[in-house]
C-alpha cells in the first residue's frame, strides 16, 4: 500500500527521543527552526492552533473580526473563536485555492483585527496583493498560516516573512513533524516579548505523562506507516475504529484538544530537531515529484491541476476532478491511497452557519472534487510511475465504459 501521507520517521527520530540530557530541547528547537525559516525568532506551542490563539491574544485582538479562508483546516476558525474573536470567511480563487484577495478587501470592516493568510497545499499566497491591503489598512495584523507551506516563495519572497508573524503546524501530517506541536515565527522583537508573555500566561508546563504519551504515539506511527502494516491500518481507519487516535478535531463543535494548553514536550522538540535536518531533502523530493506529476497528468482532460508555481513547497499535490470518488476507489484497489484533505465546507458546518462568508461559490465546489496524490519522501520514482499509470488506466477504462453505454 502506498499511503496518502507518511511522516519520515525512523531511527534518527527514535534516537532523538532518547536524548534525555537535552533539558533545554524546546529552546534549542526554537533556535533551529527560526534559522531554518530565515526568521529571527520562533516560539513553540503544543499545537499550531494554540499558536494562532496566543498570537491573536499577544496582538491584543479581542472581540474583533479575523478574516480567514473558507477553504482551510477547520482548526483555524476554532482557534479564532477560542481567542474571543469572530471568524469572517473568504472564498478562494480557482487557480491557487488561496484566499481571493479582492474579496478580502470587501470583507474588511472597522472591526477587522487580523487577516490569516494561508498558503494552502504549499501554494504561495499572493504577497503583492497582501502588501497592497497592508498599506491601505496598516492597523490590521497579518498572520501567515504556513502549516502547509513551510517557506513557500512568492516570486522569490518567502511567505512566512511578510506578516507580523507566521504559524506552523507540526503534527505527523505536515512537511516536518514534532509528533504534535506548532510554532510561531517572527522578526519583530516587540511582538516576541508579548507572545512569550502570553505563552507564559496561557500554558502549563509539560508533564512527564505527556512526554510518555507522545513517545507511545510516535512508536505507533512508526509501526503504522510500515508498508506491510499500513493496509490493515487503513481498513481500521475506514471502519472508524481508530477515530479516537486519528481524529484530532471535531467538525460538529467548536473546541480544542484537551491538552491544548500544555506546553510542547521536550521529546517533541527533539524529534522536531531531527526533522529539521531532513527539511531540505523533503522539499527537493516533493518539488521533483510534483514536476513529474505535472508533466504526466496535464494530458488528462478531466483533470484540473493547480497553477504551476516554482515557489510552491507541495504539502499536497492536489487535483480537481469530477471523478474523485470512483478514482479514489479504483486506486485503493491498486494499493494506492489518495487523500481528500478538506472534505467539509466550513461556512456550511452547523457551528459556522451564521458567520459571514464572502463567496464566489468556489470553495464549496472543491470539497467533493479535490483529491491529493502521495508525494512524501517514501514515494519512489517507481511508485510515482505506478500511480500515474493507474490514473491513466482508470480514465481509459472509464472512457471505454462511457462509450460502451452510449
Ligand atoms: C494543520 C494546520 C494548522 C495547525 O494545526 P494543529 O493541528 O493545530 O497543529 C493550521 N492551519 C492549517 C491550514 C493546517 O492544515
Amino acid at each position: 500500500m502506498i499511503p496518502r501521507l507518511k511522516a519520515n520517521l525512523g531511527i534518527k527520530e527514535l534516537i532523538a527521543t532518547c536524548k534525555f540530557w537535552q533539558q533545554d530541547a524546546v529552546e534549542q528547537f526554537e533556535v533551529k527552526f527560526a534559522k531554518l525559516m530565515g526568521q529571527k525568532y520562533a516560539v513553540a506551542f503544543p499545537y499550531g492552533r494554540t499558536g494562532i490563539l496566543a498570537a491573536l491574544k499577544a496582538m491584543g485582538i479581542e472581540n474583533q473580526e479575523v478574516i480567514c479562508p473558507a477553504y482551510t483546516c477547520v482548526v483555524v476558525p476554532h482557534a479564532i473563536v477560542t481567542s474571543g474573536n469572530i471568524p469572517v470567511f473568504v472564498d478562494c480563487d480557482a487557480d491557487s485555492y488561496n484566499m481571493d484577495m479582492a474579496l478580502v478587501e470587501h470583507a474588511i470592516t472597522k472591526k477587522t483585527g487580523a487577516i490569516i493568510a494561508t498558503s494552502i497545499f504549499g501554494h504561495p499566497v499572493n504577497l503583492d496583493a497582501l502588501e497592497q491591503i497592508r498599506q491601505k489598512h496598516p492597523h490590521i495584523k497579518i498572520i501567515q498560516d504556513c502549516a502547509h507551506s513551510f517557506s513557500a516563495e512568492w516570486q522569490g519572497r518567502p511567505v512566512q516573512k511578510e506578516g507580523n508573524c507566521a504559524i506552523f503546524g507540526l503534527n505527523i501530517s505536515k512537511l516536518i513533524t514534532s509528533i504534535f506541536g506548532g510554532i510561531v515565527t517572527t522578526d519583530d522583537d516587540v511582538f516576541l516579548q508579548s507572545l512569550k508573555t502570553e505563552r507564559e500566561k496561557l500554558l502549563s508546563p509539560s508533564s512527564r505523562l505527556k512526554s510518555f504519551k507522545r513517545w507511545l504515539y510516535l512508536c505507533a506511527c512508526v509501526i503504522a506507516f510500515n508498508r506491510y502494516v499500513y493496509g490493515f491500518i487503513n481498513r481500521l481507519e475506514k471502519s472508524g475504529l481508530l477515530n479516537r487516535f486519528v481524529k484530532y478535531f471535531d467538525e460538529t463543535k467548536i473546541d480544542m484538544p484537551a491538552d491544548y494548553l500544555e506546553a510542547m514536550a521536550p521529546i517533541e522538540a527533539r524529534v522536531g530537531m531531527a526533522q529539521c535536518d531532513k527539511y531540505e531533502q523533503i522539499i527537493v523530493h516533493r518539488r521533483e515529484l510534483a514536476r513529474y506529476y505535472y508533466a504526466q497528468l496535464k494530458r488528462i482532460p478531466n483533470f484540473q491541476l493547480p497553477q504551476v508555481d516554482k515557489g510552491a513547497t507541495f504539502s499536497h499535490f492536489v487535483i480537481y476532478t469530477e471523478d474523485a470518488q470512483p478514482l479514489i476507489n479504483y486506486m485503493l484497489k491498486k494499493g494506492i491511497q489518495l487523500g481528500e484533505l478538506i472534505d467539509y465546507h466550513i461556512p456550511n458546518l452547523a457551528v459556522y452557519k451564521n458567520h459571514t462568508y464572502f463567496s464566489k461559490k468556489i470553495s464549496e465546489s472543491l470539497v467533493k472534487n479535490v483529491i491529493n496524490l502521495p508525494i512524501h519522501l517514501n514515494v519512489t520514482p517507481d511508485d510515482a510511475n505506478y500511480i500515474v499509470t493507474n490514473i491513466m488506466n482508470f480514465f481509459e477504462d472509464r472512457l471505454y465504459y462511457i462509450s460502451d453505454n452510449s
Side-chain angles (χ1 to χ4, degrees):
M1 167 80 91
I2 304 174
R4 71 190 144 89
L5 65 90
K6 179 171 174 169
N8 191 270
L9 295 167
I11 293 294
K12 279 210 174 114
E13 285 74 16
L14 289 176
I15 291 175
T17 62
C18 303
K19 294 182 180 166
F20 289 108
W21 61 90
Q22 278 181 350
Q23 280 309 313
D24 54 350
V26 174
E27 290 83 349
Q28 285 185 33
F29 176 45
E30 288 172 343
V31 170
K32 192 161 182 167
F33 191 86
K35 206 167 154 210
L36 190 64
M37 290 299 133
Q39 298 226 256
K40 269 164 98 173
Y41 310 110
V43 182
F45 287 90
Y47 294 88
R49 67 199 94 169
T50 313
I52 297 176
L53 165 76
L56 288 170
K57 283 187 174 286
M59 288 164 176
I61 296 172
E62 218 188 319
N63 258 318
Q64 297 184 46
E65 293 171 356
V66 176
I67 294 172
C68 74
Y71 191 61
T72 188
C73 183
V74 72
V75 307
V76 175
H78 283 7
I80 295 171
V81 172
T82 308
S83 75
N85 292 288
I86 305 148
V88 172
F89 299 108
V90 168
D91 206 350
C92 57
D93 72 51
D95 298 325
S96 68
Y97 303 149
N98 280 326
M99 204 153 55
D100 183 309
M101 289 297 168
L103 275 191
V104 171
E105 281 275 5
H106 287 297
I108 291 173
T109 70
K110 279 199 205 93
K111 291 193 69 187
T112 305
I115 297 171
I116 298 186
T118 310
S119 295
I120 200 92
F121 306 133
H123 301 293
V125 70
N126 182 334
L127 291 179
D128 294 324
L130 196 60
E131 179 57 23
Q132 273 180 15
I133 291 174
R134 200 192 60 79
Q135 281 182 9
K136 245 168 106 180
H137 310 274
H139 63 286
I140 297 178
K141 306 286 187 200
I142 292 175
I143 299 175
Q144 291 282 357
D145 181 348
C146 297
H148 284 183
S149 53
F150 282 76
S151 202
E153 289 180 358
W154 170 261
Q155 298 174 353
R157 285 144 60 195
V159 291
Q160 70 273 19
K161 288 185 76 71
E162 298 202 20
N164 297 84
C165 68
I167 71 107
F168 300 78
L170 294 163
N171 71 46
I172 58 152
S173 74
K174 307 297 185 192
L175 286 167
I176 56 173
T177 181
S178 68
I179 314 182
F180 284 87
I183 204 158
V184 179
T185 60
T186 184
D187 291 326
D188 180 340
D189 299 74
V190 178
F191 176 71
L192 175 79
Q193 286 320 317
S194 353
L195 185 64
K196 284 197 153 173
T197 309
E198 205 52 58
R199 180 172 68 170
E200 192 71 25
K201 268 198 276 180
L202 280 173
L203 302 190
S204 62
S206 142
S207 67
R208 288 225 182 126
L209 179 64
K210 174 167 177 170
S211 287
F212 180 64
K213 285 205 280 197
R214 290 295 189 256
W215 179 76
L216 279 183
Y217 182 87
L218 179 76
C219 295
C221 289
V222 172
I223 296 167
F225 279 124
N226 181 288
R227 228 167 230 249
Y228 303 99
V229 180
Y230 194 79
F232 172 68
I233 298 283
N234 181 47
R235 282 200 295 280
L236 277 184
E237 191 180 343
K238 279 185 94 173
S239 72
L241 277 174
L242 291 185
N243 274 357
R244 237 190 94 210
F245 304 101
V246 298
K247 253 189 104 71
Y248 61 95
F249 58 81
D250 197 327
E251 296 154 31
T252 60
K253 52 179 190 280
I254 298 173
D255 70 352
M256 301 281 266
D259 58 359
Y260 82 105
L261 293 178
E262 185 175 343
M264 176 185 276
I267 191 176
E268 293 181 298
R270 289 190 217 116
V271 171
M273 280 190 273
Q275 289 268 296
C276 284
D277 295 336
K278 293 181 176 173
Y279 170 79
E280 199 54 43
Q281 187 195 357
I282 288 171
I283 300 294
V284 167
H285 182 77
R286 282 173 185 266
R287 284 183 167 152
E288 268 170 22
L289 268 184
R291 255 197 311 272
Y292 175 76
Y293 284 147
Y294 268 118
Q296 299 296 315
L297 299 176
K298 65 175 184 223
R299 285 174 284 165
I300 298 184
N302 315 40
F303 268 22
Q304 210 173 303
L305 303 178
Q307 235 168 28
V308 188
D309 199 312
K310 268 200 289 214
T313 44
F314 298 101
S315 66
H316 305 82
F317 187 91
V318 292
I319 294 166
Y320 178 94
T321 171
E322 313 257 315
D323 292 310
Q325 271 315 318
L327 180 61
I328 287 171
N329 296 337
Y330 176 87
M331 297 294 273
L332 203 55
K333 284 196 202 116
K334 305 288 175 186
I336 302 159
Q337 188 188 35
L338 303 184
E340 295 168 275
L341 190 67
I342 302 173
D343 58 356
Y344 45 76
H345 177 58
I346 299 176
N348 272 352
L349 299 176
V351 285
Y352 291 114
K353 267 252 154 86
N354 56 359
H355 284 67
T356 313
Y357 169 42
F358 289 81
S359 173
K360 287 193 312 183
K361 297 259 188 284
I362 293 177
S363 162
E364 35 279 71
S365 75
L366 301 180
V367 166
K368 290 268 176 302
N369 302 317
V370 168
I371 53 170
N372 55 285
L373 304 186
I375 193 167
H376 44 83
L377 206 48
N378 294 74
V379 179
T380 63
D382 280 351
D383 289 339
N385 183 269
Y386 179 71
I387 291 166
V388 166
T389 307
N390 276 297
I391 292 175
M392 301 282 191
N393 288 346
F394 169 82
F395 281 104
E396 263 174 33
D397 289 357
R398 257 181 96 74
L399 292 176
Y400 181 68
Y401 176 77
I402 291 166
S403 58
D404 238 21
N405 274 312
S406 55

